[in-house]
Amino acid sequence: MKKDRFFEKMDLQALALAYDDVRLKTGLSIVTPQNVILATNFSRNVPMKITVVSAAMDTVTEAKMAIAMALEGGIGVIHKKLDPKAQAKEVKRVKFYLNGRIDKPICVRDNETIQSVIDMRDEKNYQFSTFPVLDENGKVVGILGRIDIEMCLDKSRTVQEAMTRKVLSANPATGLDEAFQKMISAKKKTLILIGEGGKLEGMYTFPDVYRIKMGQSQLLNLDNDGHLRVAAAIGTGEAALLRAEMLIHAGADAIVIDTAHGDSDGDLKSVFETLRQLKKNFSGTDVVAGNISEAESAKRLADLGADGIKVGQGPGSICITRVIAGIGCPQVTAVYNCAKAVEGTGIPVCADGGIKYSGDITIALGAGASYVMLGRLLAGTDEAPGDFIIVKGIKYKVYRGMGSLSSMRESLEARDRYRQQGVGIDKLVPEGVDAGVPYDGPVKKMLEQYLGGLRAGMGYVGAGNIQELWEKADFYRISPAGLAESHPHDIIITADAPNYHK
Ligand code: XMP
């Protein structure tokens, strides 16, 4: 990789660099920003269409944010300060936002009357009228559709008499794309998924699938069944494993072990042990582990089977870990070293925290990250859960560190992140601050700016996709004068820009 020499030289001086210390070199380009492909991986088996995820923080990501992120091709990581049931509910809200595959269709029995079906539909206020019909053994024997109900003039007749017997069916592994094709070929509006012994395993309906396939942005980040993808955070230890089980059951595509120090071993509460247990018990679900900032730590997590690695110890806008604990590697070097350590393994690296401008995203990816995690840059949007505050007539949203005093006082999970479970409330040592960020409007609008900046950067470097950016990226270390020159200078700014604030 081009950048290796640069980082080797820095390493010889024991110099670690932050975003403001570097800029990418421009190069010969046949790439237009609009044609840049931003597809990447969240974890080994979970793809994304853009290189941005939202942070697992209580003022950033619950279902509303995660839905907005997945609609734009990314992923939201639902925070773990919610109790496990409530967190699982948020995951479900994302999974069921789009009705791709319906896992548990509402069914009717073959021997009930049409009138009873109508009554049930009205009582529950269902907006649909297509029901798989089951016999006494739970076997699918037909389908009852709107036409069947309307054309049955004598509503005291049984479902069996009115239903359509010939159903279009497929095996339970059928994905959204295949289901779409099957329904079109057969000119049928419903595809029933039937498993062993004729058992109902799910259903697709054409209007839903059509809406997903044709009606919306091609960017949607969908799982195989046509549901939006979502990830969820856990802590460590026994309780975290139970939480993970509930989240996976609710449909989480990946679990994120979200701690301030991911390089920990030795007891049940350690990240390593939690990772081992997750890989042993839930081998079908990807696990992203973090946070770390050293190459050796990345290697250890990779050896334990992590499907993704989250890098960032103290770069975040609300973090005070570096100054209160005196530890941590500046983020660009941390990302480079960790990505280098797992190069060629297929394990994506997340650059978590410290992104101030879209140019920092290009730098993070250039250094080897597969994507960035944003807190501050998404916390001011409509979809973030934080409350509004007005300061001197200007609208802000609350944004706080998971390790801020207020957050740790409120939640054991927040204390857990900073390994202060056993510390008395009045003795907590905060590692984050309580803050506010200017109100920014919808996520979609902000992502357009952030990804627009990234696309421009990739255009300057001459990289058409993320792999090419990794290969072509090379850096200058810049001086304070270089940084001053990079920002607007010797003027007064007379209008707000959507992508720039000082
Ligand atoms: P940004 O810069 O995007 O950073 O606001 C978000 C990331 O910061 C981490 N985080 C914390 N780190 N103390 C810390 O040292 C905290 O209280 C804290 N809260 C969040 C987290 O990794 C997040 O994604």
Side-chain angles (χ1 to χ4, degrees):
M1 301 268 172
K2 256 186 166 176
K3 56 186 166 264
D4 289 347
R5 252 172 60 95
F6 170 80
F7 283 104
E8 279 158 20
K9 278 194 237 160
M10 294 300 120
D11 193 49
L12 284 176
Q13 301 168 55
L15 195 57
L17 304 169
Y19 289 117
D20 278 354
D21 288 324
V22 294
R23 291 298 107 171
L24 285 155
K25 291 184 182 177
T26 59
L28 175 67
S29 181
I30 52 163
V31 175
T32 46
Q34 299 87 320
N35 296 331
V36 159
I37 295 166
L38 298 181
T40 189
N41 263 38
F42 179 77
S43 53
R44 223 184 258 279
N45 303 295
V46 179
M48 299 195 287
K49 294 182 177 166
I50 60 170
T51 55
V52 175
V53 307
S54 63
M57 299 171 72
D58 63 343
T59 47
V60 181
T61 310
E62 290 179 357
K64 206 169 163 195
M65 175 64 78
I67 289 167
M69 291 301 296
L71 288 175
E72 296 303 313
I75 277 190
V77 185
I78 310 274
H79 73 89
K80 64 185 162 76
K81 277 182 67 184
L82 296 162
D83 76 61
K85 253 195 197 151
Q87 192 187 13
K89 208 164 160 194
E90 293 297 295
V91 167
K92 278 192 189 154
R93 280 180 60 198
V94 183
K95 293 313 281 182
F96 294 127
Y97 181 75
L98 295 177
N99 266 335
R101 174 191 169 119
I102 303 164
D103 282 327
K104 291 196 177 114
I106 307 296
C107 298
V108 294
R109 269 297 311 277
D110 55 353
N111 60 357
E112 63 183 304
T113 63
I114 293 296
Q115 188 57 50
S116 75
V117 173
I118 293 170
D119 292 345
M120 179 270 291
R121 187 188 63 186
D122 293 349
E123 189 194 320
K124 303 259 168 141
N125 204 13
Y126 290 143
Q127 303 301 306
F128 53 87
S129 293
T130 304
F131 305 95
V133 182
L134 306 182
D135 69 9
E136 58 187 351
N137 300 315
K139 231 174 122 174
V140 182
V141 289
I143 191 145
L144 188 74
R146 185 184 298 278
I147 300 272
D148 298 322
I149 296 173
E150 280 172 10
M151 299 279 172
C152 178
L153 301 180
D154 176 2
K155 306 294 185 208
S156 67
R157 295 179 74 181
T158 62
V159 167
Q160 198 168 34
E161 292 170 282
M163 73 186 186
T164 302
R165 283 170 198 280
K166 225 174 146 202
V167 298
L168 178 67
S169 65
N171 73 57
T174 307
L176 184 89
D177 293 341
E178 201 188 335
F180 186 57
Q181 289 311 329
K182 274 191 185 325
M183 285 189 278
I184 287 178
S185 314
K187 294 194 182 146
K188 288 274 186 192
K189 278 190 144 180
T190 312
L191 178 71
I192 302 284
L193 303 176
I194 298 184
E196 270 175 34
K199 275 261 159 70
L200 179 69
E201 299 273 352
M203 173 170 106
Y204 288 100
T205 69
F206 191 73
D208 286 338
V209 176
Y210 182 84
R211 196 162 51 95
I212 294 169
K213 291 281 298 171
M214 317 293 281
Q216 300 201 23
S217 144
Q218 289 308 302
L219 269 178
L220 302 178
N221 190 5
L222 298 178
D223 65 18
N224 190 37
D225 297 335
H227 297 129
L228 294 176
R229 287 200 167 95
V230 61
I234 63 164
T236 55
E238 202 67 25
L241 293 171
L242 291 173
R243 182 184 283 269
E245 189 175 358
M246 288 176 77
L247 297 168
I248 291 168
H249 195 245
D253 295 271
I255 294 295
V256 178
I257 306 178
D258 173 43
T259 74
H261 191 36
D263 195 359
S264 71
D265 199 1
D267 61 14
L268 284 174
K269 287 285 295 171
S270 68
V271 170
F272 286 8
E273 193 48 32
T274 307
L275 178 55
R276 283 188 198 106
Q277 293 299 324
L278 284 172
K279 293 310 297 174
K280 194 168 106 196
N281 299 327
F282 309 103
S283 57
T285 303
D286 275 7
V287 183
V288 175
N291 279 16
I292 54 157
S293 51
E294 297 294 335
E296 288 303 318
S297 312
K299 278 192 199 135
R300 282 190 275 273
L301 289 176
D303 288 346
L304 285 169
D307 302 293
I309 287 173
K310 201 144 71 75
V311 174
Q313 292 184 298
S317 59
I318 33 53
C319 305
I320 52 173
T321 298
R322 297 245 185 100
V323 284
I324 69 106
I327 58 88
C329 175
Q331 186 70 344
V332 176
T333 297
V335 167
Y336 171 78
N337 286 340
C338 293
K340 191 81 201 156
V342 297
E343 196 176 271
T345 61
I347 301 174
V349 163
C350 166
D352 176 16
I355 303 287
K356 303 180 296 302
Y357 300 102
S358 52
D360 297 340
I361 304 178
T362 327
I363 292 170
L365 302 184
S370 289
Y371 59 98
V372 297
M373 176 173 265
L374 301 181
R376 154 72 184 87
L377 290 194
L378 295 174
T381 61
D382 289 321
E383 290 83 351
D387 292 330
F388 283 109
I389 40 174
I390 307 283
V391 180
K392 293 187 183 159
I394 298 174
K395 208 170 170 186
Y396 292 84
K397 281 194 98 169
V398 165
Y399 179 47
R400 63 176 176 180
M402 291 290 274
S404 71
L405 201 52
S406 74
S407 169
M408 288 212 283
R409 279 193 172 144
E410 221 170 78
S411 147
L412 196 65
E413 284 296 344
R415 271 172 261 159
D416 195 30
R417 192 176 196 271
Y418 299 91
R419 302 201 280 186
Q420 297 187 38
Q421 312 89 311
V423 178
I425 288 285
D426 52 345
K427 294 206 167 55
L428 289 167
V429 179
E431 293 197 27
V433 295
D434 287 276
V437 294
Y439 169 60
D440 275 331
V443 157
K444 188 177 167 58
K445 193 186 95 201
M446 297 317 292
L447 282 180
E448 274 164 15
Q449 290 301 324
Y450 303 151
L451 296 174
L454 168 63
R455 286 174 181 283
M458 289 173 70
Y460 281 114
V461 173
N465 56 49
I466 305 305
Q467 178 73 38
E468 270 181 33
L469 181 58
W470 291 339
E471 283 158 16
K472 293 189 175 177
D474 200 359
F475 291 90
Y476 283 115
R477 188 187 165 208
I478 61 169
S479 65
L483 183 62
E485 187 184 72
S486 305
H487 283 272
H489 51 86
D490 305 311
I491 43 99
I492 53 157
I493 293 178
T494 54
D496 278 344
N499 57 353
Y500 186 79
H501 54 88
K502 193 100 189 191

